[in-house]
Amino acid sequence: MLSAIERRVKSVVTNNQCDQFRRISTTANLWKKLNINSSHGNIANLSHKSTKEITRSVFVICICSFDFLVRNSEYLLKLSAKLLGSWGHRKFLKSTLYGHFAGGENRQEILECCRKLMIGNVRPMIYAVDESSLGEGTRGEVYYNQVMEEVIKCMAYSQEAAGHLGIAQARISALISMDLLYKINEYIVGSTSYLDPKSDLYVGKLAKFMANPKEGLSLDFLSESEQAEFSGTLNRLHGINKVADKLNVKLFYDQEWSYCRETLNAMILACQMLFNLQRPLIMSTYQAYLKDTYTQLQSHLEFLDANGIKFGCKLVRGAYMSGEIARCTELGVESPINDGYDVTTTQYGRCLDLLMARVAEDPRTTHLMVASHNIQTVQRALDAISNLGIDMKDECVIFGQVFAINDGLSYSLSEAGIPVYKSIPYGPVEETIPYLSRRAVESRNMLDNIRIERSVIMGELKKRLFRF
């Protein structure tokens, strides 16, 4: 049987687009320039960093190499706050973890961070750090409105730093309580799909309400206060999306814990129905480490295609694996995570093939960010771009990595003329502890990348210290 990508390629060829495969594309030339297997990356691109920053990087990467410190990072960070006090704790974080993994607390700091990145032709994807968890309860309308303003700032800063190339990133759980997301998710799982017009949470109904709140939204399974909070969240999302549309800044909404995924999917699809009529503007996220991601991606694509909606997404492996597995073990339920790294790699590849084929068929309808730190995955994506004749000038396929992780890969891509972004967290030091802890865990899980990164940074530091 033909694979999804083979069927797409066959369709492209039979539609008299064989010239895509005959021509020597810009992408193919860029691919030849890219030394993707380099174990040292591009040391020259660290020239924009000060010796102080390089030294800090060495220290932080060494910390991330110790399993004990990483596994207990959240506890140790809280202990630091108690021992050092508020001022001392802030100073410590700014000088170490926050200074390494975050972009800044204000406009001046984040724009300076973006400026340094763009010296190496690496672009910013700014987002406001805010992580919540079950049991916290609602934070109130005033707080959620403040978060909304921060997301809007991120979009404005991205545009200011990179013009129409700027991208912003947001997480919906910062605009609504995780408890409510979970409750709605449980309802969705036990009832009709949000893709079915008969569902109380049908995507089309949510989109209709967002466009005209006067129509009202009646959800009997929610209390009056919960309905008010959910309605307020939809209104805030609509306001954020309108700013993204006005600024022409692509906005990526994150996926998070599996226990709120269906709620987030319904809300993001509703946003796409309203704002992706002309071009992919509102972008979703798909986590390849979840067992049913490929099937879900297919169903979402079919729904959007049937409604004439453009599609855009960020394809990731997933960043909550340790927490997901621990939670399932505690509850004694089946884990939604794939059984092993190789299974996730296979599913990532299937999703990648499907999306690449769609881009090749019609780049106006599908945009993709290949969000990966894995060299083999990036190489596979570049091979697909070249083999399918995708013109990178259209920038329908872009690449992304987390700020301060695997910089060698990012700069290698940018030097080859391939669009690459860094996800840059922005926000107060005090609100970043959960984020910093998770970043440390992710870094620890990428041992090969850490070795390469450490080699690159140590090489640069030695070069500066021993110039004589």
Side-chain angles (χ1 to χ4, degrees):
M1 293 180 64
L2 292 175
S3 66
I5 192 168
E6 287 170 335
R7 289 196 296 272
R8 288 281 185 179
V9 172
K10 185 176 180 181
S11 173
V12 171
V13 174
T14 55
N15 282 322
N16 297 320
Q17 295 181 11
C18 298
D19 58 305
Q20 288 192 2
F21 299 95
R22 294 194 187 102
R23 65 186 171 85
I24 300 175
S25 67
T26 303
T27 305
N29 293 331
L30 293 175
W31 167 243
K32 291 176 182 178
K33 295 178 183 178
L34 183 63
N35 184 13
I36 200 69
N37 292 313
S38 170
S39 62
H40 296 95
N42 181 4
I43 295 178
N45 271 302
L46 296 177
S47 59
H48 66 273
K49 290 191 174 186
S50 67
T51 302
K52 180 181 178 180
E53 289 173 322
I54 294 291
T55 305
R56 179 184 64 201
S57 296
V58 171
F59 174 74
V60 172
I61 288 173
C62 287
I63 287 178
C64 292
S65 300
F66 291 97
D67 190 58
F68 172 80
L69 295 177
V70 172
R71 282 189 288 106
N72 297 281
S73 57
E74 190 165 356
Y75 167 76
L76 292 172
L77 287 171
K78 290 179 181 178
L79 181 62
S80 165
K82 289 182 180 179
L83 296 176
L84 300 178
S86 178
W87 182 87
H89 182 58
R90 275 179 53 86
K91 197 75 173 175
F92 170 72
L93 286 178
K94 289 275 279 189
S95 302
T96 55
L97 291 174
Y98 182 92
H100 182 73
F101 286 122
E105 295 187 89
N106 52 52
R107 174 180 173 275
Q108 181 180 354
E109 290 179 356
I110 194 69
L111 290 180
E112 175 62 15
C113 176
C114 293
R115 184 192 68 79
K116 290 181 177 180
L117 279 179
M118 294 189 70
I119 290 175
N121 293 320
V122 175
R123 304 168 185 176
M125 179 167 68
I126 306 173
Y127 82 103
V129 173
D130 193 297
E131 301 209 357
S132 57
S133 58
L134 284 174
E136 289 184 351
T138 184
R139 298 181 180 180
E141 294 293 303
V142 173
Y143 180 87
Y144 295 137
N145 287 333
Q146 289 174 346
V147 173
M148 174 183 172
E149 292 303 318
E150 291 303 310
V151 174
I152 290 173
K153 283 182 184 178
C154 286
M155 293 188 288
Y157 295 157
S158 291
Q159 189 205 49
E160 186 175 356
H164 71 283
L165 300 175
I167 287 177
Q169 183 180 353
R171 56 179 65 234
I172 293 175
S173 66
L175 299 161
I176 184 174
S177 75
M178 187 66 79
D179 295 334
L180 183 52
L181 285 175
Y182 174 71
K183 183 174 182 177
I184 297 172
N185 199 86
E186 289 295 285
Y187 177 82
I188 292 173
V189 171
S191 61
T192 310
S193 168
Y194 48 77
L195 301 180
D196 188 334
K198 297 178 182 178
S199 171
D200 293 337
L201 286 161
Y202 173 55
V203 169
K205 291 179 182 178
L206 298 182
K208 188 175 181 180
F209 171 78
M210 293 169 76
N212 185 13
K214 293 181 180 179
E215 299 240 346
L217 188 66
S218 179
L219 299 171
D220 294 338
F221 67 96
L222 295 180
S223 68
E224 186 175 336
S225 61
E226 288 171 337
Q227 286 199 62
E229 182 176 342
F230 185 57
S231 298
T233 303
L234 293 175
N235 289 332
R236 279 186 285 273
L237 286 176
H238 192 61
I240 290 170
N241 296 338
K242 286 197 292 186
V243 175
D245 188 33
K246 181 179 179 181
L247 296 176
N248 194 26
V249 171
K250 284 183 181 177
L251 178 59
F252 284 80
Y253 283 114
D254 279 352
Q255 268 295 349
E256 304 177 45
W257 296 92
S258 63
Y259 54 70
C260 64
R261 181 173 64 142
E262 302 308 327
T263 312
L264 297 180
N265 280 333
M267 298 168 82
I268 295 170
L269 286 168
C271 294
Q272 291 177 324
M273 286 192 75
L274 292 174
F275 290 91
N276 286 15
L277 293 170
Q278 304 300 323
R279 84 286 198 199
L281 177 74
I282 304 303
M283 319 290 274
S284 52
T285 300
Y286 290 86
Q287 301 163 305
Y289 72 173
L290 296 175
K291 294 176 181 177
D292 63 345
T293 293
Y294 182 78
T295 303
Q296 188 169 84
L297 174 60
Q298 284 183 311
S299 66
H300 290 177
L301 289 170
E302 290 171 4
F303 174 81
L304 293 172
D305 287 345
N307 288 276
I309 308 300
K310 307 296 189 294
F311 177 80
C313 80
K314 169 163 53 87
L315 183 59
V316 304
R317 282 184 173 268
Y320 297 82
M321 184 172 68
S322 299
E324 292 276 10
I325 294 174
R327 181 174 183 271
C328 291
T329 300
E330 182 181 345
L331 297 175
V333 298
E334 182 183 354
S335 172
I337 306 296
N338 289 321
D339 298 324
Y341 184 88
D342 291 341
V343 180
T344 294
T345 298
T346 298
Q347 180 159 244
Y348 193 106
R350 292 181 69 202
C351 294
L352 184 65
D353 290 347
L354 174 60
L355 294 169
M356 285 289 192
R358 285 177 61 92
V359 174
E361 186 174 6
D362 188 352
R364 296 169 298 176
T365 64
T366 304
H367 287 186
L368 168 66
M369 172 180 278
V370 181
S372 177
H373 301 93
N374 183 279
I375 291 177
Q376 287 72 35
T377 298
V378 171
Q379 182 167 330
R380 176 171 179 160
L382 291 170
D383 284 339
I385 289 168
S386 183
N387 293 337
L388 292 171
I390 296 173
D391 193 340
M392 293 300 284
K393 291 180 181 178
D394 295 331
E395 298 207 1
C396 297
V397 179
I398 56 180
F399 291 78
Q401 287 94 39
V402 173
F403 181 66
I405 294 181
N406 214 345
D407 288 343
L409 174 59
S410 303
Y411 284 116
S412 294
L413 287 166
S414 70
E415 280 210 334
I418 295 169
V420 59
Y421 287 78
K422 282 290 195 181
S423 175
I424 313 173
Y426 157 80
V429 172
E430 295 80 5
E431 296 177 11
T432 63
I433 289 179
Y435 171 86
L436 293 174
S437 178
R438 190 157 54 81
R439 276 289 84 90
V441 171
E442 288 180 34
S443 298
R444 179 68 182 90
N445 289 337
M446 294 185 289
L447 290 174
D448 289 339
N449 289 339
I450 285 181
R451 293 189 189 101
I452 294 171
E453 201 102 9
R454 187 165 53 196
S455 174
V456 171
I457 295 174
M458 285 297 294
E460 176 69 13
L461 184 60
K462 288 177 182 178
K463 185 176 73 174
R464 296 186 185 195
L465 294 177
F466 302 105
R467 286 177 179 171
F468 57 89

